Structures are given as C-alpha cells and as structure tokens.
Amino acid sequence: MEQNIVNVAETKQPTIFKQFMNLVKRNELSHAYLFTGEDGAGQFSVAMGVAMRLFCTNVQNGIPCGQCPECRRIMNYDHPDVVMTKPDGLSIKVDQIRHVKSEFTKSAMEGSKKVFIISEAEKMTTGAANSLLKFIEEPTGNVVSFLISKNRNLVLPTIISRTQVVEFPSLSKKLMVEELKSSGVKPSEVNLMISITNSMDEINEWLKDDWFENTQRLLEKWFTYLVKSDAMAMPFIQMSLMPLITNKERQRIVISMMISLFDDVLQMKYETLSADQVKYPGILEQTKQAATKWNNDQVLAMLDELLNMNSSMNVNVNFQNIIESVTLKILTISQSEFVKG
C-alpha cells in the first residue's frame, strides 16, 4: 500500500486520531463506535489506525509503526482478527452480518483482541441491523467494533443508542486540494470540484469516463458564446451539452458548475478572485472580458437566473428547456443596458 493509513488518519483528523491512540494506551476503548461524517473525512483511516495500534509490535511514540508484519497485514486486509464488512451491492445483508456474528463468537486467533469495521453502516438492511444489535451490546471477549456512516440519520436509532457516536468534521479546503491532487485530479478541475462538494466518493464518480472534464470543457465553450453574445449558445446546448447530462444528479451538478462559472466573473469584478482560486482557468481571458463587459447588475441578474434553475427542476420542467430558457435570458441581459430594479 503506497500511503500509510496512519499518516492519512493523522493528517485528516489529528485530534480524533490522537484521542483514540490515548484511549488504546490507557486501555479505555469502548466496545462499539459509530464514526459519522462526510465521505473522505478520515473515518475508515482512523478505525484502521486503531486496529493497527492494538496489534502493532513496534509502537513508536504511541503511534503504530505501519511497517511491522502486523501493521502491514492489517493494511492489506489480511489479518484474521481484524474483520471488515461493506455493502454487497446496494446493501449490507443479513448473511454478511451472520458472518460477522460468527467471528464475534470465536476466540481471537493470534491475540486477545478482535476488531470489526463495518463500512457504510447506513446501508444495513433492517434485518441485518437488528441481527447485529445484541452482538454490539454484549460482545464476547475483548472486542471493539467500528461502524462507519456518512449519514447517522439513516442508521437505526437502536444501533446509535448502543454505540459511542463520533462526529468527524469536514476536511479543510487545503486538505481537500492536496488529496485531489495526490489522487491524480487535473489542476484545472480541482477548484471547481471543491466549490461543489466535499465528498471524495462523489468526485470519484464524476471522474469516471472523464465526465467531469468533458462537461467543464463544454461549459467553457458555452460561456465563450455568451461573452461574445453569440446565438450559437442555443443550438450548442442540444448538440453538445445535453448528451452528457443523462440523469437528475448530473443536472444538479451542471447547474452548480454554471453557478461557479459566473461566480468567477463576479469575484473578478470585485477583485476578490486570486489566481489560485480560479475555477475555470481554461477561459481566464473570457472571464476577464465578461467582468469588464457586464456591469454588476447584469452579472447578478444572470446569477439569479441560474439559481432559479433548481426551482424549475423541482416542478419537473424539461431540463433542456430550462437551460435554453436561462441561456436566452443571459443573452438578453448581456445585450441590454440592464439596470436591476
């Protein structure tokens, strides 16, 4: 594994990670925890870090070394006393929990401890969650369980009541940028992505088939037409943009991408857009032209039209019609001596 999980946990959640290292040191771990927070906030890494600390044979300053055979087996998901479960398809099923329960009842194979990590715990079926309850409440032997969920509201209240809930704060913008760059995301996409979401899972979905990159490029072309007051912006929507907007979720993302584009223009007008914050670096010159060409009222009116797109979606208006209508309004505003009144 290229990156030590301990380093990830320390970087993303230094306070929480240190607290858990101290709990292990003082032998004060509870039997069950629910780690909750946004995707990518470090919940899984902290749980793995605790497991490594429990089994590490070469602890350094209270931190697992990440190099000994025990640590490496855990990082490679190959330790018999660290059992992991995640959704099989869309949910965690009863059969999967039966396997966990059977492991609960066994003695630790190589030590006195057992660790269970259940990812996406909110996806347990009701039957699976109920099946797990008594084993979480009354574990056999020296067992600690970590349930990980991005939404505690979707976890059964009976599960929550039997665990200690630990809320993981969102990553800072700086950490998000570093993580995206280290994941191979192109620099031209990073600022735009973090202006829309804090979820690494969501970003990974956007990166499939270069969808995000292609959509960003087409929106840059669409914007270029708008800056030139070129009516080609209208047919461009049907011919080029709509084929990429294949579902409701992508519609929502495209609206956010459009709003971010005009936010660049507005910030440039107010001289609050620094070079490292530009969300559409590929059309920086066109953004500057727009900031010069359009007055404040025009840009704010355009943003209002874009923000109203979500309301139109909520009443099930055809999405192509929504974009075409907003595009026409933006062209009209850009060509008029518009004063907001």
Side-chain angles (χ1 to χ4, degrees):
M1 187 165 289
E2 293 184 2
Q3 191 174 22
N4 189 329
I5 285 175
V6 172
N7 294 339
V8 175
E10 283 188 293
T11 301
K12 288 188 173 183
Q13 299 293 347
T15 301
I16 292 175
F17 183 71
K18 183 177 180 180
Q19 288 172 344
F20 271 92
M21 293 301 99
N22 288 332
L23 287 174
V24 175
K25 181 180 180 180
R26 298 194 299 265
N27 196 28
E28 294 177 355
L29 278 177
S30 294
H31 64 276
Y33 294 91
L34 173 63
F35 286 176
T36 182
E38 293 177 340
D39 293 324
Q43 301 95 311
F44 182 75
S45 297
V46 171
M48 290 283 281
V50 174
M52 290 164 64
R53 174 64 177 83
L54 288 168
F55 291 95
C56 180
T57 58
N58 186 28
V59 175
Q60 307 272 330
N61 299 317
I63 305 296
C65 69
Q67 300 298 324
C68 71
E70 297 292 286
C71 283
R72 298 192 73 83
R73 290 169 73 192
I74 292 170
M75 287 193 293
N76 290 323
Y77 314 134
D78 190 34
H79 197 291
D81 294 326
V82 180
V83 180
M84 303 182 203
T85 301
K86 62 181 180 180
D88 179 11
L90 296 176
S91 64
I92 298 175
K93 301 174 178 64
V94 173
D95 285 347
Q96 292 177 264
I97 297 303
R98 285 194 185 120
H99 168 70
V100 172
K101 287 163 61 178
S102 70
E103 293 296 325
F104 264 110
T105 59
K106 296 176 183 176
S107 299
M109 293 180 68
E110 298 186 7
S112 61
K113 303 170 286 289
K114 290 185 78 70
V115 177
F116 296 89
I117 302 174
I118 302 176
S119 298
E120 299 182 75
E122 76 278 2
K123 294 185 178 179
M124 279 190 288
T125 63
T126 302
N130 287 329
S131 180
L132 186 65
L133 275 175
K134 65 179 180 180
F135 290 93
I136 288 180
E137 190 169 22
E138 299 174 1
T140 302
N142 190 358
V143 173
V144 59
S145 302
F146 296 98
L147 282 67
I148 298 171
S149 173
K150 62 184 177 183
N151 189 344
R152 65 174 288 174
N153 295 325
L154 298 179
V155 178
L156 281 181
T158 45
I159 291 283
I160 294 174
S161 69
R162 288 164 173 78
T163 61
Q164 285 201 21
V165 179
V166 181
E167 298 278 357
F168 278 59
S170 301
L171 297 186
S172 68
K173 180 178 177 181
K174 180 180 178 181
L175 276 178
M176 280 290 293
V177 169
E178 291 174 357
E179 180 156 352
L180 288 173
K181 288 180 177 178
S182 67
S183 299
V185 175
K186 295 179 180 178
S188 59
E189 300 173 16
V190 169
N191 284 339
L192 180 55
M193 286 180 171
I194 64 174
S195 74
I196 299 172
T197 186
N198 288 323
S199 168
M200 285 301 299
D201 282 357
E202 193 169 16
I203 287 172
N204 288 331
E205 189 65 30
W206 298 348
L207 293 172
K208 291 178 181 177
D209 303 322
D210 298 321
W211 180 83
F212 193 90
E213 179 184 7
N214 292 333
T215 304
Q216 182 180 12
R217 177 175 50 81
L218 291 177
L219 287 176
E220 289 173 349
K221 183 69 174 176
W222 171 76
F223 181 75
T224 300
Y225 284 133
L226 294 178
V227 176
K228 294 178 180 177
S229 299
D230 190 336
M232 272 300 295
M234 297 294 290
F236 180 78
I237 293 168
Q238 180 179 357
M239 292 186 299
S240 301
L241 194 55
M242 285 306 300
L244 288 181
I245 310 174
T246 54
N247 56 47
K248 283 277 189 182
E249 178 61 18
R250 289 188 170 182
Q251 292 172 7
R252 181 190 66 79
I253 298 164
V254 166
I255 291 174
S256 297
M257 293 172 78
M258 288 177 166
I259 292 170
S260 291
L261 206 168
F262 279 78
D263 182 63
D264 268 5
V265 178
L266 190 64
Q267 288 198 60
M268 193 166 286
K269 285 193 72 68
Y270 285 104
E271 299 182 350
T272 58
L273 184 66
S274 60
D276 63 347
Q277 294 176 329
V278 175
K279 295 179 280 293
Y280 284 86
I283 51 168
L284 189 58
E285 285 305 312
Q286 289 88 335
T287 305
K288 290 178 180 177
Q289 289 174 30
T292 302
K293 177 181 178 180
W294 300 331
N295 64 40
N296 289 350
D297 289 337
Q298 285 174 311
V299 177
L300 288 172
M302 293 171 185
L303 268 168
D304 281 344
E305 296 296 342
L306 292 166
L307 290 167
N308 287 334
M309 292 174 73
N310 283 309
S311 299
S312 299
M313 279 183 63
N314 291 337
V315 293
N316 293 319
V317 179
N318 178 275
F319 191 69
Q320 182 176 326
N321 291 344
I322 293 173
I323 296 185
E324 289 178 345
S325 175
V326 168
T327 299
L328 184 58
K329 288 176 181 177
I330 291 174
L331 285 169
T332 301
I333 293 168
S334 70
Q335 294 170 29
S336 66
E337 295 295 325
F338 184 86
V339 178
K340 191 173 182 180

